[in-house]
Amino acid sequence: MFSSLKAELSILITLSTAIAFVLAWHFLKWGWSGWIAMPLTLVVALGITYFFAHGLTAPLRQMRDAAEAMAAGDYTVRVESANDSRDEVGQLARSFNEMAGELQHADQMRRDMVANVSHELRTPVSALQALVENMADGVVEPTPANLEGILDQTHKLSDLIAFLLDMSRVEAGAASLEVEPFDFAEFIDDTVKPLEIADGGHGHTIHVDVPEHLRMEGDPNRLNQLFTNIIANALKHSPDGTEVLIETHENEERGTIVTNVVNYGSRIPEEARNDIFRRYVKGTGRPGTGSGGTGLGLSIARWAAGLHGGTVNVVPDPRGANFEIELPKYHSIDDD
């Protein structure tokens, strides 16, 4: 009934003491011996205290049982009495349930990611095995076209391995940076070109609006991960024939460079704008693309931005899904 455990305990102690006092007074008034009245009064007071304390500590016992179940690998357990209490124990129980939900989600997404990566690895490995076996048996000749096919499959394997390495770095929470000054417009052009080629026949138009001679400091390789994942995500979730806008401006007051990647073809619900950056959360992709990948791209993007002291967020925009990337223009050694 109360929002403070101290208040509940104080009332419980006061109630037990008052009842003990009244019982002792009546027992003595009735002429009972003190050797009988006092022990009986203490037993009644302890019984009342135990009865009410049992209810107060019920969430704690449930949390103990739930923790033991989670240690055994069962993340579906919850503290059922979490909503019955308003005090600190109830708040702890609700926080415990939220933690259990996060662990269950992470465990399920991890399982799905392993299954997805296994499936993605099997495809290029099977293709490579078939091509090499046919060449070894003399069924096909090692022509430039066939060798190009082998090279394409090895590139897919390399990309998957890079994803797994990025995942391990995200799990560790840190990585080293090789900071250097560079031209931001040239950097964006170099990032966009391979994405345009990979986009193939989907008919997307990437419009780039970046000021010339804008320079910043950072790790180009890490930032390439950041912008590649954000732009590729915009292309993946855009219907064929639509436009993706990349526009950049300098915030001189904050000393940052702000880039917005706007996808005109889709919307992100407000309640999902933070969840999409969680690890192993996958989107559905554009129609016909199958799954949304490994579910690590946006998580890696936010991680790479954080390494530079920057942020990546989805901001409201009537035009469509707008990913805003804000990075410090100059890198401070103290940030490492």
Side-chain angles (χ1 to χ4, degrees):
M1 295 177 59
F2 299 93
S3 59
S4 172
L5 181 62
K6 292 186 291 185
E8 292 175 337
L9 292 176
S10 299
I11 292 174
L12 175 59
I13 294 172
T14 302
L15 180 63
S16 299
T17 304
I19 293 175
F21 175 79
V22 172
L23 284 176
W25 183 77
H26 278 88
F27 288 156
L28 295 175
K29 184 180 178 181
W30 295 337
W32 288 29
S33 170
W35 293 104
I36 298 177
M38 293 306 297
L40 184 59
T41 300
L42 290 175
V43 170
V44 173
L46 288 174
I48 294 173
T49 303
Y50 178 82
F51 176 78
F52 286 102
H54 184 81
L56 292 176
T57 57
L60 294 175
R61 293 192 299 274
Q62 292 185 18
M63 277 189 281
R64 177 201 61 196
D65 297 337
E68 291 176 353
M70 290 171 64
D74 182 7
Y75 297 103
T76 63
V77 292
R78 297 294 185 272
V79 180
E80 300 298 335
S81 60
N83 296 324
D84 299 335
S85 177
R86 297 168 52 198
D87 58 19
E88 291 87 351
V89 176
Q91 295 171 14
L92 176 62
R94 288 188 286 275
S95 298
F96 183 92
N97 283 345
E98 292 177 3
M99 179 194 70
E102 289 292 326
L103 290 174
Q104 182 182 6
H105 170 81
D107 182 67
Q108 184 60 47
M109 292 301 100
R110 199 183 298 267
R111 293 171 186 268
D112 293 343
M113 193 279 295
V114 171
N116 291 332
V117 170
S118 299
H119 175 76
E120 295 292 337
L121 282 172
R122 182 174 58 186
T123 300
V125 168
S126 299
L128 278 173
Q129 182 178 356
L131 286 170
V132 173
E133 285 180 350
N134 288 336
M135 288 183 183
D137 295 339
V139 177
V140 297
E141 296 293 331
T143 62
N146 292 330
L147 293 176
E148 184 70 23
I150 293 177
L151 184 60
D152 289 340
Q153 299 303 324
T154 57
H155 284 162
K156 291 181 180 179
L157 286 174
S158 298
D159 291 340
L160 286 171
I161 293 171
F163 260 113
L164 294 175
L165 290 174
D166 290 336
M167 180 183 67
S168 67
R169 295 189 183 104
V170 171
E171 294 285 354
S176 60
L177 293 177
E178 297 182 4
V179 179
E180 61 182 70
F182 59 91
D183 186 280
F184 192 77
E186 293 181 0
F187 166 80
I188 291 294
D189 287 339
D190 292 339
T191 303
V192 168
K193 286 179 182 177
L195 292 174
E196 289 179 322
I197 297 173
D199 190 57
H202 293 291
H204 292 119
T205 301
I206 302 179
H207 179 70
V208 179
D209 182 10
V210 179
E212 295 183 358
H213 310 299
L214 178 61
R215 297 185 65 81
M216 70 171 291
E217 295 178 355
D219 187 332
N221 292 326
R222 294 289 176 218
L223 293 178
N224 180 265
Q225 287 180 301
L226 164 59
F227 284 93
T228 295
N229 287 340
I230 295 295
I231 300 170
N233 178 77
L235 293 170
K236 181 184 297 182
H237 294 277
S238 298
D240 291 354
T242 57
E243 183 182 62
V244 171
L245 171 64
I246 305 171
E247 55 182 0
T248 301
H249 68 274
E250 181 179 355
N251 187 329
E252 296 183 357
E253 181 179 351
R254 294 170 57 90
T256 59
I257 293 177
V258 182
T259 302
N260 294 86
V261 179
V262 184
N263 164 16
Y264 291 94
S266 64
R267 294 286 190 275
I268 300 176
E270 185 174 355
E271 62 274 10
R273 289 175 183 173
N274 194 53
D275 289 342
I276 59 176
F277 291 99
R278 294 166 62 182
R279 275 167 275 178
Y280 313 119
V281 173
K282 299 186 297 178
T284 56
R286 73 171 76 88
T289 60
S291 69
T294 59
L296 285 171
L298 294 181
S299 177
I300 290 172
R302 176 167 280 187
W303 164 73
L307 289 177
H308 288 79
T311 59
V312 180
N313 294 292
V314 178
V315 297
D317 193 324
R319 297 174 296 180
N322 186 341
F323 284 79
E324 185 172 271
I325 306 165
E326 185 170 10
L327 297 168
K329 184 175 182 179
Y330 301 105
H331 183 81
S332 174
I333 298 177
D334 296 336
D335 292 340
D336 287 342

